[in-house]
Amino acid sequence: MEPRINHLQIESQVHELLDYPVCTNQITSTIYQCSNDYTGEVNNDKEKPYNCPYSGSKCTATGDIRWLLQHLRNDHHVEMHDGRSFSHRYVHHNPKHLHHATWMLTLLDCYGRQFCLYFEAFHLKKTPMYIAYMQFMGDEEEATSFSYTLEISGNGRKMTWQGVPRSIRDSHKTVRDSQDGLIITRKLAMFFSADNTNSKELKLKISGRIWREH
Ligand SMILES: [Zn+2]
């Protein structure tokens, strides 16, 4: 069964930053424009093709970052958002029936680079969990020059994660299994839910920010 869900939805908006206004157009039209900035350094390792980060679908496509961006947009219909700051609302219509490896991918474009934001439902042993984390579309070395935060908030509660994006050289499964992200049990997630009077539906607001360390 195709693991990408139809019972998990995303409603997103891009935050405008005061010091660095961003385009609020949520469509992916800037994808090619920003790719032009990617001159890359001449380095054989860095030019080694990357696997498609939409790996939950068992996609076997490989290519350079520029090609993968087009592929994600055209073949997987992944949304791209501009800006260093973001806020997403994930809606899980039937969290009581949490399927393993149910996930959602969004692309973020900032600093002329692209990041994969994953939100995934999975079982850790038998406990239903959610995890959110970021992966950098580039090599490991450059990935470490960025940091990010993710914050779940709602109903007077807040939980924050600060991390370093992992390169997409690591599969999303590798990152998930290493638990290198914001992890929350389903039980706890329900306390953050925008509307926990309707326990059938989980609405989780996750905001975050990416910045460059150097
Ligand atoms: Zn693919």
Side-chain angles (χ1 to χ4, degrees):
M1 193 180 83
E2 169 75 24
R4 189 177 181 279
I5 24 18
N6 44 25
H7 57 280
L8 184 62
Q9 292 177 340
I10 182 172
E11 297 166 25
S12 314
Q13 65 184 57
V14 177
H15 279 173
E16 284 195 55
L17 290 176
L18 293 174
D19 60 335
Y20 200 89
V22 295
C23 175
T24 53
N25 180 358
Q26 295 183 12
I27 310 303
T28 58
S29 55
T30 56
I31 184 170
Y32 299 110
Q33 173 201 322
C34 293
S35 300
N36 292 339
D37 297 340
Y38 184 75
T39 52
E41 291 146 71
V42 181
N43 179 317
N44 286 339
D45 269 358
K46 289 184 179 177
E47 287 173 3
K48 199 169 72 179
Y50 292 87
N51 295 324
C52 172
Y54 201 83
S55 47
S57 64
K58 295 189 173 65
C59 178
T60 55
T62 61
D64 62 17
I65 298 299
R66 187 180 182 139
W67 184 87
L68 281 175
L69 287 169
Q70 293 180 42
H71 166 69
L72 286 168
R73 191 180 83 153
N74 297 335
D75 299 328
H76 298 301
H77 311 291
V78 175
E79 284 186 39
M80 167 82 85
H81 299 275
D82 292 328
R84 293 180 284 175
S85 184
F86 55 88
S87 179
H88 291 172
R89 194 166 70 136
Y90 294 94
V91 181
H92 198 176
H93 292 302
N94 196 355
K96 291 276 180 213
H97 296 91
L98 187 152
H99 297 286
H100 189 68
T102 294
W103 59 283
M104 194 90 216
L105 168 63
T106 312
L107 290 173
L108 302 164
D109 188 319
C110 60
Y111 299 101
R113 294 293 186 268
Q114 293 76 36
F115 299 81
C116 296
L117 172 64
Y118 287 97
F119 179 72
E120 181 163 342
F122 70 110
H123 287 95
L124 189 63
K125 302 217 163 114
K126 291 198 168 163
T127 309
M129 314 280 287
Y130 296 98
I131 182 171
Y133 56 92
M134 198 84 78
Q135 285 195 257
F136 175 68
M137 293 192 71
D139 63 76
E140 294 94 337
E141 194 188 328
E142 193 180 0
T144 60
S145 64
F146 293 96
S147 290
Y148 72 98
T149 54
L150 293 174
E151 183 178 290
I152 300 182
S153 59
N155 286 335
R157 296 164 176 86
K158 189 183 282 188
M159 186 187 268
T160 306
W161 160 261
Q162 180 173 328
V164 177
R166 299 274 290 269
S167 164
I168 58 167
R169 294 271 184 225
D170 292 326
S171 74
H172 92 285
K173 185 178 179 301
T174 302
V175 181
R176 182 197 71 207
D177 291 348
S178 66
Q179 301 176 30
D180 193 5
L182 175 71
I183 295 187
I184 185 169
T185 62
R186 179 181 64 195
K187 271 189 186 171
L188 183 53
M190 296 308 286
F191 284 103
F192 289 85
S193 190
D195 178 18
N196 64 3
T197 53
N198 176 8
S199 63
K200 280 189 145 183
E201 200 167 73
L202 173 75
K203 290 178 182 168
L204 218 50
K205 182 176 166 244
I206 300 185
S207 54
R209 191 168 70 85
I210 300 170
W211 67 96
R212 194 168 224 157
E213 288 290 350
H214 307 296

